[in-house]
Amino acid sequence: MHDESLLYQFKDGIGVITINRLKVMNAIDYKSITMLSSLLDEITDTNIRCLIITGAGEKSFVAGADIKEMKDMNRSQGENLSRAGNGVMRKIELFQVPVIAAINGYALGGGLELALACDIRIASQNASFAMPESTFGIIPGYGGIQRLSRIIGQGRAREMIFTTRRFGAEEALPWGLVNAVYPLAELMPSAMDLAGRIASNAPIAIMSAKKIMNESVGLELSAADQLEREAFGNCFGTWDQREAMQAFVEKRKHGAFRG
Ligand code: CAA
């Protein structure tokens, strides 16, 4: 269902999706969005423990939605594009295992929205960030308005969206927009290392923690606690829980987690 503009590799429990539209700075058009959505559906390997999303080349993660494609859209086409974008971003957010955005350059507009849908964002030193939509007479349409303020707070999100100012990775770090910044050559090795550390933990626990974190957004604490209690209880009796705790008591290394 996908062509060369979207690459997928899988090894040792870690999947890597690369947005590969180098000629347009990896900007994503409608077709890219539908292909990404299909690809996510196709990743059914139960051995997957973590997914990384990055951009091809050394300049750009994703330079937003495809402006050339959007230029002549009418109101309903705009709404359809947003619906497709919203859908795929939500699919990433709800993806069964953690998703890391390895931001290797421009993360602008829809590109930043893609990164915001991921669980963890790390960036290269040359990365830059902006929500430039209002310079084109539109607003962020792939869930960015909601996710940006949840991640960096209302004040900073409003500043970004209203000013459209572009800034670098070093500024994004203290804002909490990214968790870490690396020289470009170290970005993918660091993403793989981070994914590997996630993959080394009990899969049921990781998937369950992600699910609860997603489901408890917007819930009252008591309702969120209830979800957490049930999920916590469900971890007990799994082979991974039994083995890891038994191994601790016996002062030995636990066997490989089974999930
Ligand atoms: N859509 C379509 N084409 C794009 C693009 C985009 N978002 N971003 C870059 N390109 C294309 C350029 O048009 C250019 O194509 P040509 O060679 O045919 O001219 C090619 O990629 C290379 O780009 P530049 O020559 O501009 O390269 P640069 O290094 O000078 O600048 C850039 C790079 C800063 C990313 C600049 O291209 C730019 O500002 N792009 C637009 C980024 C943007 O504003 N994105 C937000 C879009 S709105 C959105 O995303 C809506 C939403 O919320 C869903």
Side-chain angles (χ1 to χ4, degrees):
M1 284 291 280
H2 49 92
D3 59 25
E4 286 300 300
S5 63
L6 202 57
L7 309 176
Y8 181 65
Q9 289 174 307
F10 179 77
K11 197 176 169 222
D12 297 335
I14 299 166
V16 180
I17 292 178
T18 305
I19 313 291
N20 184 37
R21 299 187 80 222
L22 278 168
K23 284 188 180 151
V24 288
M25 297 277 167
N26 301 325
I28 41 176
D29 59 2
Y30 187 86
K31 189 174 163 219
S32 316
I33 287 174
T34 53
M35 284 194 309
L36 180 55
S37 180
S38 311
L39 174 59
L40 290 165
D41 291 339
E42 286 164 24
I43 304 175
T44 50
D45 194 325
T46 52
N47 292 321
I48 191 161
R49 299 288 176 259
C50 192
L51 182 66
I52 297 170
I53 300 181
T54 193
E58 301 192 333
K59 276 188 164 178
S60 187
F61 172 67
V62 171
D66 192 315
I67 299 166
K68 290 160 192 164
E69 181 184 65
M70 286 187 295
K71 185 172 70 66
D72 297 318
M73 282 187 180
N74 61 28
R75 190 178 176 155
S76 74
Q77 288 168 322
E79 197 174 328
N80 278 340
L81 179 67
S82 178
R83 186 175 294 110
N86 284 158
V88 78
M89 300 307 163
R90 186 75 179 138
K91 211 174 257 191
I92 291 167
E93 194 164 63
L94 297 179
F95 195 71
Q96 64 266 32
V97 296
V99 185
I100 298 169
I103 305 167
N104 57 310
Y106 297 115
L108 308 175
L112 178 53
E113 296 178 280
L114 173 62
L116 293 169
C118 298
D119 295 274
I120 299 171
R121 284 156 295 285
I122 61 173
S124 53
Q125 284 165 341
N126 64 315
S128 62
F129 305 84
M131 285 294 193
E133 284 85 350
S134 69
T135 62
F136 297 105
I138 58 171
I139 62 169
Y142 296 165
I145 290 187
Q146 282 69 37
R147 291 192 183 94
L148 186 63
S149 51
R150 284 175 188 170
I151 291 167
I152 63 170
Q154 283 281 343
R156 283 172 168 163
R158 284 168 197 242
E159 183 185 326
M160 278 188 75
I161 292 166
F162 299 159
T163 66
T164 72
R165 183 173 69 90
R166 197 198 309 165
F167 55 86
E170 293 304 333
E171 193 173 341
L173 186 61
W175 280 28
L177 192 51
V178 297
N179 290 12
V181 178
Y182 302 95
L184 181 60
E186 288 171 29
L187 179 68
M188 278 315 284
S190 303
M192 293 301 286
D193 185 54
L194 183 57
R197 269 183 282 153
I198 292 169
S200 72
N201 291 320
I204 292 174
I206 298 291
M207 287 192 282
S208 182
K210 171 166 177 168
K211 192 162 176 282
I212 297 303
M213 284 168 132
N214 277 332
E215 287 176 359
S216 54
V217 172
L219 288 186
E220 295 218 345
L221 193 57
S222 56
D225 278 349
Q226 172 66 27
L227 283 181
E228 188 178 278
R229 260 196 303 282
E230 287 167 16
F232 183 74
N234 287 339
C235 294
F236 286 81
T238 61
W239 187 90
D240 292 353
Q241 175 265 327
R242 289 273 188 269
E243 165 61 9
M245 292 190 184
Q246 189 65 34
F248 176 82
V249 171
E250 292 171 7
K251 298 190 187 302
R252 63 172 170 84
K253 197 175 168 342
H254 62 74
F257 287 127
R258 294 180 183 174

